[in-house]
Amino acid sequence: MASENIRKWAIIPEPNSMTVGEGTVLLPYAGRVNESIAIDDGDFLLAHQLVADIRSATGTDWDIATGDMWSGFIRLRIADSWDFDSQDGGTAGAYTLTINTDGITITGCDFEGVRNGVQTLRQLIRQNGAVLPELQIADAPACQIRGYYLDATRGRVPTLAWLKQWADKLCLYKYNQLQLYIEHTFAFDGMSETWRGSSPLTPADTLEFDQYCANLGIELVPSVSTFGHQYVAMRTQELRELGEFPEDADRPFSFIERMRHHTLNVADDRAFAFSAQLVDSYLQLFRSKRFNICADETFDLGKGKSKQEAQRVGVAALYATYVGKLCEHLSKQGREPMFWGDIAIEMPEILETLPNNVTLLNWQYDPEATDEKIQLVAQAGAKQIVCPAVWGWNALLPRIDDAWNNISRIARYGIDCGAEGMLVTDWGDFGHVNDPRMAVPGMIFGAQYAWNPAGDTAENDLLERISRVEYGDCSARFVALLRNASTQAVFTWRELVEYLELDDGTGNCNTDVAQTIPCLADRLVDHLSDCGNAMTVREARNRMMRNMATTIERIPQANRALQQCMVDIAPIAAHMGNPGITAAVRIAMEGQLLLNRVGFALAEAHDVRDAHDAGDWRPSDYRALARELECWCEAYAKEWNATSQPSELHRIQETVWKAADELRRISK
């Protein structure tokens, strides 16, 4: 691993066993890939992947054949049981790769093994062109399930074309499962009031994408909210009576309330009929036997319409009974239920009621998470998949350090506790302002640690490898600069949304929003008892901004550092030949510069000052900043269209415009 040759290229995930020789192998200018028919790759997709990468890297066109009558410089085959077992135990997804002067041979334990070996070779070709290193690899995954969970409902619905690009990328890094998170953004029959205006995915989209994923060796697992997170549905005329608080259905839309208030009243028999209809119609579109019913964050359970029933049987029993019915409903149809484990872990008695075929999706997003909750599920004997996060939500720039700490830690816990696999989550809270392309480093962290959690322990080394393999960055600095830029996010999209949504529209404080902001939650009750009146929006915003005073002090310095990151990353990005990611990163960085300036201006308007650093506190030109925000928003909208349907872009725009209007208001 220390040779000069190795330092010029990388493989992600890092193989378990690799021996690199001293020589190199020159690919022929007119070669052939021979793919065994036994691989069961109907359209010879794997051979075509290699031919496409050879053409892109070398400009030469290769042939494809099958059968022992045709030679091939690259040979793809399924192992005989005896020769592969002796090397690697026959683990599903395992492969060997040999590159020498006689040619290149990939031998897989199964289709997935050959697929995985092909992805390793593709990475080598992309970095080395026609001259490959001599080497031998024997490799197998640590986790049998290596999944990715993509939010396609909280504001951003991907285009089918972009979903296919994302599946291609997941394949390259050896993922074998994908789930799309759906609340209201699917065109279910009879539910047009719920999905109207959201650019919903359709049955035709799903059938096409399911086939596309299957060809890549990726299992597309259906996932739809069936209990909590029904905010949009519970605000409709037709379905609002199924919610815990139907009386709140006409309140103004709120990003924050969407995350908090959304639970079905499961004491009403109509709720199960509604959920079962979602399940029954959705599952018919997928070949997977697995089904994720979600059932997470049921915050309102037992507090509204179901309060009387919850008092009679207990909240835990109410939850467990409903989830149990849905799981049984799926089991009777030959499906394997999955659901998020947060409620069951909070109420461990639920764990004892789970059927044997149910898998708990144990999400832990804290970068410093311990293994306590994963151990709890393991000790209860329940099946689990561990679920870390790419840490992109509520932000324009991904929190790469948090993603690395969280994913690397949770992967190790999962292996130690016998989890069935890992599902890396990518959420879009508060309108999905985060461009999905910003999640690529976190996705690749997941690929590395689900495959080989002991193979790479230094974050900076992995950032360099990602820069080379994914972005073609010979300097190996691109991802580190993106990471450095993200650390300069002082006033983020989350703080902007919180500040704006504290206004309930009448000049009073929105208490539902305030309760989610730590510096306000405790003060609400005290304020009411002290003054006898509800807190005004002005009072709430004053308190929020003053609580951020120490953080706000960093903004001038942070923006200087962020501007330097932009200067440093520009020439690197120019040589990568990827204008899409270049534009996405530039727009995200410019947007964060503006957000920081907005936070600075709002602190100024609320008389937050730092007497020790007065030189950096200069009066803001509020109207000029408002105009800059609006111009940036137009550029942002164009980048949105590169990956996503229109969906809820308008909500992002309305939030930016509201911020611009607030700046103009405080300028008077």
Side-chain angles (χ1 to χ4, degrees):
M1 296 292 289
S3 73
E4 183 66 23
N5 204 27
I6 288 292
R7 288 195 291 271
K8 295 179 181 177
W9 52 266
I11 298 169
I12 305 174
E14 183 180 0
N16 287 277
S17 173
M18 178 166 64
T19 303
V20 181
E22 294 298 323
T24 58
V25 174
L26 179 65
L27 294 177
Y29 67 87
R32 177 183 292 132
V33 180
N34 185 299
E35 180 177 350
S36 170
I37 199 73
I39 294 170
D40 196 23
D41 176 19
D43 294 328
F44 297 97
L45 173 70
L46 300 178
H48 282 291
Q49 285 182 329
L50 288 169
V51 168
D53 277 321
I54 291 169
R55 181 185 301 113
S56 178
T58 71
T60 59
D61 287 313
W62 277 40
D63 192 17
I64 293 172
T66 190
D68 57 12
M69 297 297 293
W70 297 93
S71 63
F73 191 80
I74 298 177
R75 300 172 291 276
L76 311 181
R77 69 188 189 96
I78 294 286
D80 297 329
S81 59
W82 61 269
D83 66 358
F84 206 90
D85 284 351
S86 64
Q87 299 175 53
D88 208 80
T91 305
Y95 70 94
T96 60
L97 167 61
T98 302
I99 302 176
N100 57 36
T101 54
D102 293 330
I104 300 171
T105 301
I106 295 172
T107 304
C109 178
D110 49 16
F111 166 80
E112 185 179 340
V114 179
R115 182 204 74 149
N116 293 335
V118 166
Q119 308 318 307
T120 297
L121 180 56
R122 291 176 68 202
Q123 291 183 19
L124 290 170
I125 292 168
R126 289 182 177 197
Q127 295 170 81
N128 294 283
V131 182
L132 302 181
E134 282 189 329
L135 56 71
Q136 286 186 316
I137 291 174
D139 204 8
C143 295
Q144 287 303 299
I145 294 175
R146 303 176 304 283
Y148 198 84
Y149 195 83
L150 179 64
D151 189 338
T153 208
R154 288 181 178 160
R156 187 187 288 268
V157 177
T159 64
L160 183 58
W162 187 83
L163 282 174
K164 290 179 178 179
Q165 293 176 32
W166 191 251
D168 290 338
K169 201 173 293 294
L170 293 177
C171 176
L172 180 65
Y173 294 105
K174 304 184 177 71
Y175 278 86
N176 61 5
Q177 188 182 109
L178 172 62
Q179 300 186 30
L180 303 181
Y181 177 51
I182 299 295
E183 290 174 9
H184 65 287
T185 52
F186 195 84
F188 288 106
D189 282 352
M191 291 184 61
S192 56
E193 189 187 3
T194 299
W195 50 254
R196 66 188 185 189
S198 69
S199 308
L201 294 169
T202 67
D205 295 332
T206 303
L207 291 171
E208 183 174 342
F209 190 49
D210 186 62
Q211 181 65 58
Y212 192 85
C213 288
N215 291 343
L216 293 170
I218 295 173
E219 178 186 15
L220 185 64
V221 175
S223 173
V224 63
S225 288
T226 59
F227 195 166
H229 289 292
Q230 293 288 348
Y231 181 75
V232 176
M234 296 304 100
R235 288 165 58 81
T236 65
Q237 295 292 331
E238 293 189 17
L239 296 172
R240 63 177 60 193
E241 289 304 318
L242 299 183
E244 284 279 8
F245 293 103
E247 63 272 18
D248 290 340
D250 292 321
R251 287 166 63 105
F253 176 89
S254 160
F255 285 135
I256 294 172
E257 289 186 35
R258 174 153 76 179
M259 300 300 298
R260 304 292 300 178
H261 301 300
H262 41 57
T263 307
L264 283 175
N265 168 22
V266 296
D268 187 328
D269 291 339
R270 294 175 298 173
F272 182 78
F274 167 73
S275 296
Q277 180 182 357
L278 293 179
V279 167
D280 292 347
S281 55
Y282 205 42
L283 65 80
Q284 294 180 356
L285 304 175
F286 297 80
R287 68 193 66 203
S288 173
K289 293 299 182 184
R290 296 182 175 94
F291 196 108
N292 181 2
I293 61 172
C294 296
D296 58 315
E297 296 187 326
T298 52
F299 298 126
D300 291 335
L301 182 63
K303 296 179 180 178
K305 290 286 189 177
S306 70
K307 185 174 183 178
Q308 185 175 355
E309 182 66 9
Q311 289 173 338
R312 186 180 72 84
V313 302
V315 174
L318 192 61
Y319 179 90
T321 298
Y322 194 75
V323 169
K325 283 178 65 177
L326 284 173
C327 290
E328 182 182 6
H329 183 75
L330 279 163
S331 298
K332 287 179 178 178
Q333 300 179 73
R335 305 288 167 149
E336 301 172 16
M338 297 175 158
F339 68 95
W340 298 110
D342 52 308
I343 304 301
I345 289 169
E346 289 175 12
M347 306 175 187
E349 61 268 34
I350 294 173
L351 295 174
E352 300 173 4
T353 70
L354 296 180
N356 292 332
N357 69 331
V358 172
T359 300
L360 205 72
L361 301 174
N362 195 347
W363 59 271
Q364 309 291 324
Y365 301 154
D366 188 339
E368 304 300 324
T370 69
D371 66 350
E372 179 183 359
K373 294 180 179 180
I374 297 171
Q375 288 275 14
L376 176 68
V377 176
Q379 290 166 5
K383 295 196 298 185
Q384 66 176 320
I385 291 174
V386 294
C387 307
V390 299
W391 273 87
W393 63 87
N394 296 341
L396 291 171
L397 292 166
R399 286 150 291 192
I400 289 176
D401 285 342
D402 288 338
W404 182 81
N405 279 304
N406 180 228
I407 292 169
S408 61
R409 190 180 297 256
I410 294 301
R412 291 192 295 270
Y413 296 158
I415 296 295
D416 292 344
C417 293
E420 298 201 333
M422 186 162 79
L423 182 67
V424 180
T425 62
D426 182 357
W427 297 103
D429 306 6
F430 292 13
H432 210 145
V433 71
N434 41 309
D435 189 306
R437 291 169 290 188
M438 296 292 101
V440 169
M443 178 272 283
I444 298 177
F445 292 164
Q448 171 64 55
Y449 289 104
W451 185 277
N452 184 0
D456 195 305
T457 56
E459 179 185 6
N460 287 336
D461 289 345
L462 187 49
L463 297 186
E464 290 180 2
R465 292 168 55 212
I466 294 171
S467 294
R468 290 185 183 277
V469 176
E470 170 61 23
Y471 297 107
D473 169 25
C474 294
S475 76
R477 296 178 59 215
F478 179 78
V479 183
L481 286 168
L482 183 60
R483 184 267 310 275
N484 295 345
S486 74
T487 64
Q488 309 309 321
V490 178
F491 192 80
T492 68
W493 180 255
R494 180 188 184 99
E495 279 86 37
L496 179 63
V497 169
E498 288 174 339
Y499 181 90
L500 295 173
E501 291 195 357
L502 278 169
D503 186 350
D504 70 355
T506 67
N508 289 317
C509 173
N510 184 326
T511 56
D512 282 342
V513 171
Q515 286 169 1
T516 69
I517 304 173
C519 69
L520 297 179
D522 294 337
R523 182 59 182 151
L524 286 172
V525 176
D526 294 340
H527 187 279
L528 187 59
S529 61
D530 291 345
C531 305
N533 298 313
M535 186 183 293
T536 67
V537 66
R538 177 70 184 180
E539 290 166 331
R541 286 174 170 175
N542 275 338
R543 188 171 183 84
M544 174 186 171
M545 296 309 299
R546 287 173 181 163
N547 187 69
M548 292 188 67
T550 302
T551 304
I552 293 290
E553 292 171 11
R554 289 188 50 233
I555 286 178
Q557 178 184 357
N559 271 12
R560 287 193 292 270
L562 184 50
Q563 287 170 327
Q564 187 60 50
C565 286
M566 294 170 64
V567 169
D568 292 341
I569 210 169
I572 295 171
H575 287 89
M576 293 188 326
N578 188 339
I581 191 62
T582 300
V585 168
R586 177 65 185 274
I587 293 299
M589 288 185 176
E590 292 282 4
Q592 187 55 58
L593 280 170
L594 288 169
L595 283 176
N596 282 350
R597 289 173 57 197
V598 169
F600 192 90
L602 293 176
E604 190 175 60
H606 286 274
D607 298 321
V608 176
R609 292 287 189 273
D610 175 20
H612 301 290
D613 192 17
D616 268 338
W617 286 92
R618 297 183 178 88
S620 299
D621 185 339
Y622 300 118
R623 293 184 179 183
L625 180 55
R627 292 192 291 269
E628 288 184 65
L629 271 177
E630 289 159 343
C631 291
W632 171 84
C633 193
E634 291 303 302
Y636 174 86
K638 292 178 182 177
E639 283 308 305
W640 176 288
N641 294 332
T643 64
S644 308
Q645 304 276 8
S647 32
E648 294 184 34
L649 171 61
H650 67 94
R651 297 198 191 279
I652 301 286
Q653 294 171 311
E654 288 161 5
T655 300
V656 173
W657 299 335
K658 190 181 294 184
D661 291 345
E662 180 67 16
L663 288 169
R664 292 188 174 97
R665 186 189 66 78
I666 62 178
S667 71
K668 296 178 180 178

